[in-house]
Amino acid sequence: MNQIITFIAAISAAISVGILSYLLLRQLFDTTELDTMNLNLPPEEKKRLPLLFRLLLLLLPYTRRLARHDFCASLRQTDEVKLTMAGYSEVFSPTDFTALRIAFVLASLLLLALGILSGRWFSGLALAAVLAIYPGVWLTSQINRRHLSILKALPNMLDLLTLSVEAGKDFVSSLRDILARRRLDPLGEEFMRTFQEIQLGKKRTEALREMAQRVRQPELTSTLNAVIQAEEMGVSIANLLRIQGDALRNKRFTRAEKLANEAPVKIILPIILFIFPSVLIILGLPMFMQIARFF
């Protein structure tokens, strides 16, 4: 009888592990709805989610109710702004991302409990803290990466707009032709969205103002504000675009020179921690062995 019970328990455990593995693998690889925005992005520009996100998405149906509560209202508003800045507003709703934050907090509490029960409370506390803050850190890194990409692409975009406007086209036609021939990147995504809003009947100045509010990248905001002022005052924007492009290019070169000058200082710590001990061991160990053999 005991053998039959043991056999049934083993079969049940195997079935449970198999079902859990199937659900995890399906969640990892079946992420079509979360990979891309509603834009015609090339495959390399599709938005991928980290592995931990795809694992904890299984808890989303259970934590979404907590995320809709009133005490999470401010967090939802903050997440909405940050998701829009990061370009993930079509991937996550504010409620879903807040629910994902709650799922990470629950997972961190479980990890902390396991660390305390195993007697490694400090390691459990450190890992739980890292796990709890990971969604916010990831979202901030995506915002910084997107802003850097926009800063790199903006001068070239302004040069193309300047050439098209000086050739006799208006701003909207120039923007349409450039977007049709240009590889779609974060800056192209935002201009494409703005162009579609203008096509649907929104005023040009209002669409540009909403783009600046949506992205909140300082250089892009200053450029769009200058274009809006020129539009409202009826001034030709060709010279304005040329001046803005030159200024942004100089700023990009200045930033590159600054990073190049900071590189020798930043490399000192890795040299001291990793390269210098290895060199010391390779060069000094044979000498110490000979000295020890001599004495």
Side-chain angles (χ1 to χ4, degrees):
M1 186 67 181
N2 293 331
Q3 293 179 351
I4 295 176
I5 295 175
T6 304
F7 177 74
I8 294 174
I11 293 296
S12 301
I15 293 174
S16 301
V17 171
I19 294 174
L20 182 60
S21 301
Y22 169 75
L23 291 175
L24 288 176
L25 291 174
R26 182 177 177 181
Q27 189 68 22
L28 288 177
F29 296 105
D30 188 16
T31 56
T32 306
E33 294 180 358
L34 297 175
D35 283 343
T36 177
M37 300 171 63
N38 294 327
L39 295 171
N40 294 323
L41 293 176
E44 64 272 11
E45 292 295 333
K46 291 183 179 180
K47 300 188 181 301
R48 301 292 298 177
L49 297 178
L51 177 62
L52 286 177
F53 277 38
R54 285 178 275 169
L55 287 174
L56 292 180
L57 284 175
L58 293 170
L59 300 178
L60 225 60
Y62 308 102
T63 58
R64 193 177 283 120
R65 182 177 299 177
L66 291 175
R68 294 194 184 103
H69 202 272
D70 291 338
F71 67 84
C72 293
S74 60
L75 185 59
R76 286 198 306 270
Q77 294 176 358
T78 303
D79 287 340
E80 183 178 6
V81 174
K82 289 187 175 182
L83 286 170
T84 304
M85 294 171 63
Y88 278 81
S89 59
E90 299 293 334
V91 177
F92 284 112
S93 66
T95 302
D96 286 345
F97 194 80
T98 304
L100 189 63
R101 284 180 183 267
I102 296 174
F104 269 89
V105 172
L106 295 178
S108 66
L109 292 177
L110 178 61
L111 189 62
L112 178 60
L114 292 176
I116 293 174
L117 292 176
S118 63
R120 301 178 180 273
W121 64 270
F122 182 77
S123 300
L125 180 61
L127 292 176
V130 171
L131 190 63
I133 66 174
Y134 177 69
V137 173
W138 174 83
L139 188 57
T140 302
S141 68
Q142 294 300 312
I143 293 173
N144 294 333
R145 183 181 301 176
R146 185 176 178 85
H147 282 184
L148 180 60
S149 175
I150 290 174
L151 178 61
K152 290 179 178 180
L154 188 55
N156 296 332
M157 186 75 167
L158 292 179
D159 289 342
L160 295 174
L161 285 172
T162 302
L163 293 174
S164 298
V165 172
E166 288 180 345
K169 295 182 179 180
D170 62 340
F171 182 80
V172 178
S173 299
S174 303
L175 188 61
R176 178 195 60 204
D177 294 339
I178 292 171
L179 292 176
R181 294 173 173 81
R182 189 173 179 273
R183 178 178 176 270
L184 200 59
D185 56 359
L187 182 62
E189 292 178 16
E190 296 299 335
F191 271 117
M192 179 66 74
R193 180 173 176 176
T194 302
F195 176 72
Q196 291 173 352
E197 291 176 352
I198 294 173
Q199 279 189 321
L200 292 175
K202 186 174 290 187
K203 292 178 61 177
R204 189 187 310 175
T205 55
E206 184 180 353
L208 293 175
R209 192 175 287 112
E210 289 182 359
M211 177 180 172
Q213 182 66 23
R214 186 169 61 243
V215 181
R216 300 190 182 188
Q217 206 276 340
E219 287 76 13
L220 180 62
T221 300
S222 62
T223 301
L224 293 177
N225 288 336
V227 173
I228 291 171
Q229 291 178 0
E231 183 75 17
E232 292 175 345
M233 293 186 298
V235 180
S236 175
I237 64 173
N239 293 330
L240 174 65
L241 293 174
R242 184 178 296 278
I243 293 171
Q244 290 288 331
D246 293 339
L248 289 175
R249 189 175 294 103
N250 291 333
K251 187 171 184 178
R252 187 175 65 180
F253 288 157
T254 303
R255 182 179 181 278
E257 291 177 355
K258 179 182 176 182
L259 293 176
N261 293 330
E262 291 177 353
V265 180
K266 292 180 179 179
I267 205 173
I268 290 176
L269 185 62
I271 289 176
I272 295 175
L273 292 179
F274 303 107
I275 300 177
F276 182 72
S278 302
V279 173
L280 183 63
I281 291 173
I282 293 173
L283 296 180
L285 186 60
M287 182 178 64
F288 288 134
M289 292 178 64
Q290 291 181 2
I291 293 174
R293 190 180 297 113
F294 177 76
F295 288 102

